[in-house]
Amino acid sequence: MNTLELIQKNLDTFSKSERKVAEVIIASPQIAIHSSIATLAKMAEVSEPTVNRFCRRLETKGFPDFKLHLAQSLANGTPYVNRNVNEDDGPEAYTAKIFESTMACLDVAKNALDTSLINRAVDALTQANKISFFGLGASSSVAHDALNKFFRFNIPVACFDDVVMQKMSCINSTEGDVIVLISHTGRTKALVEVAQLARKSDAFVIALTAYNSPLALQSNLVLSMSVPEDTDIYMPMASRIAQLVLIDVLATGFTLRRGAKFRDNLKRVKDGIKDSRFDI
Amino acid sequence: MNTLELIQKNLDTFSKSERKVAEVIIASPQIAIHSSIATLAKMAEVSEPTVNRFCRRLETKGFPDFKLHLAQSLANGTPYVNRNVNEDDGPEAYTAKIFESTMACLDVAKNALDTSLINRAVDALTQANKISFFGLGASSSVAHDALNKFFRFNIPVACFDDVVMQKMSCINSTEGDVIVLISHTGRTKALVEVAQLARKSDAFVIALTAYNSPLALQSNLVLSMSVPEDTDIYMPMASRIAQLVLIDVLATGFTLRRGAKFRDNLKRVKDGIKDSRFDI
DNA sequence: TTTTTTCTGTAATAAAATGACATCTAATGG
DNA sequence: CCATTAGATGTCATTTTATTACAGAAAAAA
């Protein structure tokens, strides 16, 4: 496991002084691995043995061993941890934090995803007579984006961000239709009702939502991501990005399933809008 | 560059004793990084300073620094690189590839961004009488998303994905209005015309687009990301994600600039929709 | 062969990390 | 509210580790 993530996760198991050390390391891991125990101790304003004890707590042999582990995990994967934006952060700080925590969330989302479920979702989508994407609030732009993607595949596809339209559309659904419902929390009442209507009409309901949420329980297939929303200042940020990437994954799975001929078709669509663009 | 490869390549530039060290390290690098200079010297049957000199020859600060470099290059594989999806990739493969290359793109985007420009953009947005977000095609969902974010700030904000509406809106703009144009390529003729109209009406034009593109040249402020679109099967994927994260950054900058009182307001908006959700 | 340069090892020094112990802090029970 | 105790933290001593300076050996050049 990634050392940096490990530190982040165990942050509350550390003592006061050890947490100081953890924070200094998380803030600038690259500096940490190039420092001696003395300089790091000074940076964290603790004593040298405290740094050493901190290292041991992370199941390493000591400080030099810890540095090796940290160095490896910095090279290995995400040096990106979910850091919250502070009130006094400048543009550099909050830009970096948001990008990095988004990347960290994508990493978590990737690991939490069940690819066999993705495969089943792609199965359902490729066999669908019609695909509908529904979302409300912040999730409606995800639905729009999905529309934009699947629309190019030249199959019947719809997208509504209005509850009434969504319900009407569900009532008119039949077996063979796939309805994709998008909601971060999975607790929006209106969307749960939409799911119920869709099920009544024998449509296949795929939910991009939280595991075990009311919406998830009403769906045929759930793609859950369990992304923490720490960074957010009262609005969904990283979760929505993860959903979008998941849409990309589904769209890619779709095109791969359809084969090479189909992809040529996509290219023609793209070439078709050439005239509306400036040449280089 | 990979340290182990570097050693291999420079094998003939070393002296006799240094080569002994090199060979021991190449033979068992995992042991090497966990050994002290003394044990490694003994293994190579040379003196300790020889090992040290060997490390310096590889442009490291000394033995501990060398170990860090070696540890990093031993950390398996290049993690988040832009790997293209192949026709014969299974669900695990393409899911991982899409997530990872999205993360790689975000990393590139983050490094390419100019935070002073972000700061200026936040300046403009906070002082705006009215903010409009315009995008066409795939970028329209980014514009929608931006609307959803800035709408919560309780300021006049608009979003159109229709060229005619966009143009009309621009003609009605006045000084103090900010228009944010979103386009990956920056070559969509219609959107460039929109930019020109907006400038004529003395609106401040911010473009989220490619550097030096026709759209960029027509704008007051350009936030460019230069994200490669390798992974894409003829549709924007990662670039759009990067734009969305950039919107998050701008929205965060906005809330930070507005201060604590303003953030309490945001919380009230969120609490206000509580009734429409299921409790846990 | 002599001279010069380059390499390599020894020993001294400096730096770093760890261990032992004392002190402080905070929590628990009287 | 104080005494006791477990845990946390720092100081200092010790040990380990790395680096430097220098001298002798090997190789190359004259």
Side-chain angles (χ1 to χ4, degrees), chain B residues 87-232:
Chain B
E87 295 196 17
D88 47 350
D89 280 339
E92 303 84 26
Y94 64 73
T95 302
K97 282 182 180 177
I98 290 172
F99 268 88
E100 285 171 16
S101 48
T102 303
M103 286 186 270
C105 285
L106 287 181
D107 195 52
V108 172
K110 185 194 82 169
N111 295 326
L113 272 174
D114 182 342
T115 46
S116 69
L117 289 179
I118 288 180
N119 206 26
R120 278 184 53 204
V122 172
D123 275 341
L125 289 170
T126 42
Q127 284 156 31
N129 296 327
K130 187 184 145 195
I131 304 174
S132 307
F133 295 98
F134 297 161
L136 293 169
S139 299
S140 76
S141 61
V142 178
H144 265 112
D145 192 79
L147 174 75
N148 194 286
K149 289 227 140 58
F150 281 83
F151 164 78
R152 300 176 191 222
F153 300 161
N154 200 24
I155 47 162
V157 54
C159 164
F160 296 114
D161 51 12
D162 174 296
V163 187
V164 180
M165 292 294 281
Q166 290 175 357
K167 285 188 182 172
M168 288 198 293
S169 177
C170 284
I171 291 164
N172 287 328
S173 293
T174 54
E175 206 182 328
D177 289 357
V178 172
I179 295 180
V180 182
L181 298 176
I182 303 158
S183 164
H184 172 53
T185 58
R187 304 193 171 282
T188 309
K189 284 177 188 169
L191 212 60
V192 177
E193 289 165 21
V194 168
Q196 289 166 331
L197 280 175
R199 291 286 296 275
K200 262 188 204 149
S201 308
D202 293 320
F204 189 79
V205 178
I206 299 176
L208 269 60
T209 193
Y211 181 71
N212 249 342
S213 61
L215 178 58
L217 299 174
Q218 293 297 326
S219 308
N220 296 99
L221 184 71
V222 183
L223 298 172
S224 61
M225 346 218 18
S226 62
V227 168
E229 281 286 3
D230 291 335
T231 350
D232 301 14

Side-chain angles (χ1 to χ4, degrees), chain B residues 13-59:
Chain B
T13 70
F14 297 132
S15 71
K16 202 169 54 179
S17 301
E18 284 170 352
R19 194 166 312 140
K20 282 190 205 169
V21 180
E23 276 158 9
V24 169
I25 290 169
I26 289 171
S28 46
Q30 285 294 346
I31 295 173
I33 57 169
H34 288 108
S35 310
S36 71
I37 195 167
T39 37
L40 193 63
K42 208 170 276 175
M43 280 197 283
E45 295 177 311
V46 297
S47 70
E48 298 175 23
T50 301
V51 177
N52 202 292
R53 284 188 282 260
F54 165 84
C55 297
R56 297 246 169 92
R57 205 169 288 266
L58 288 155
E59 291 165 356

Side-chain angles (χ1 to χ4, degrees), chain A residues 38-74:
Chain A
T39 36
L40 193 63
K42 207 171 277 175
M43 280 198 280
E45 295 178 312
V46 297
S47 71
E48 298 176 24
T50 299
V51 177
N52 204 289
R53 284 187 281 260
F54 167 83
C55 297
R56 296 248 169 91
R57 205 170 286 268
L58 288 155
E59 290 164 358
T60 63
K61 267 202 82 195
F63 183 70
D65 188 42
F66 167 79
K67 280 209 290 191
L68 285 175
H69 277 98
L70 187 58
Q72 293 213 341
S73 75
L74 286 183

Side-chain angles (χ1 to χ4, degrees), chain A residues 30 33-34 64-65 67-80 85-96 98-100 102-107 109-110 113 115-116 118-119 122 136-142 144-146 148-150 152-153 161 183 185-190 192 214 225 233-238 240-242 244-257 259-260 263-264 266-267 270 274-280, chain B residues 30 33-34 64-65 67-80 85-96 98-100 102-107 109-110 113 115-116 118-119 122 136-142 144-146 148-150 152-153 161 183 185-190 192 214 225 233-238 240-242 244-257 259-260 263-264 266-267 270 274-280:
Chain A
Q30 286 294 346
I33 58 170
H34 288 108
D65 188 42
K67 280 209 290 191
L68 285 175
H69 277 98
L70 187 58
Q72 293 213 341
S73 75
L74 286 183
N76 198 4
T78 44
Y80 308 124
V85 176
N86 288 326
E87 296 197 16
D88 46 350
D89 281 338
E92 304 82 23
Y94 65 71
T95 302
I98 291 173
F99 268 89
E100 286 172 15
T102 302
M103 287 186 268
C105 284
L106 287 182
D107 193 52
K110 187 193 82 170
L113 271 174
T115 47
S116 70
I118 288 180
N119 206 26
V122 172
L136 293 169
S139 299
S140 77
S141 62
V142 178
H144 264 114
D145 193 78
N148 195 286
K149 289 227 138 61
F150 281 82
R152 301 176 191 221
F153 300 160
D161 51 12
S183 164
T185 58
R187 306 192 170 280
T188 309
K189 284 177 185 168
V192 176
M225 344 217 22
I233 310 181
Y234 308 119
M235 47 189 161
M237 289 181 6
R240 185 202 39 160
I241 301 287
L244 284 163
V245 178
L246 185 53
I247 295 288
D248 285 343
V249 170
L250 293 176
T252 304
F254 192 98
T255 57
L256 289 177
R257 195 67 67 83
R263 284 190 293 281
D264 290 344
L266 278 183
K267 193 166 159 48
K270 193 172 186 181
K274 241 182 187 168
D275 289 349
S276 66
R277 297 181 187 279
F278 287 106
D279 293 334
I280 300 172
Chain B
Q30 285 294 346
I33 57 169
H34 288 108
D65 189 41
K67 280 208 291 189
L68 285 175
H69 278 98
L70 186 59
Q72 294 211 339
S73 73
L74 286 181
N76 18 345
T78 36
Y80 299 137
V85 176
N86 288 325
E87 295 196 17
D88 47 350
D89 280 339
E92 303 84 26
Y94 64 73
T95 302
I98 290 172
F99 268 88
E100 285 171 16
T102 303
M103 286 186 270
C105 285
L106 287 181
D107 195 52
K110 185 194 82 169
L113 272 174
T115 46
S116 69
I118 288 180
N119 206 26
V122 172
L136 293 169
S139 299
S140 76
S141 61
V142 178
H144 265 112
D145 192 79
N148 194 286
K149 289 227 140 58
F150 281 83
R152 300 176 191 222
F153 300 161
D161 51 12
S183 164
T185 58
R187 304 193 171 282
T188 309
K189 284 177 188 169
V192 177
M225 346 218 18
I233 310 180
Y234 309 120
M235 47 189 162
M237 287 179 9
R240 182 204 39 157
I241 301 286
L244 284 163
V245 178
L246 185 53
I247 295 288
D248 285 344
V249 170
L250 293 177
T252 304
F254 192 98
T255 57
L256 289 178
R257 194 68 66 84
R263 284 191 291 283
D264 290 345
L266 278 182
K267 193 166 160 46
K270 195 175 184 178
K274 242 184 186 168
D275 289 348
S276 67
R277 295 182 188 277
F278 287 105
D279 293 333
I280 298 170

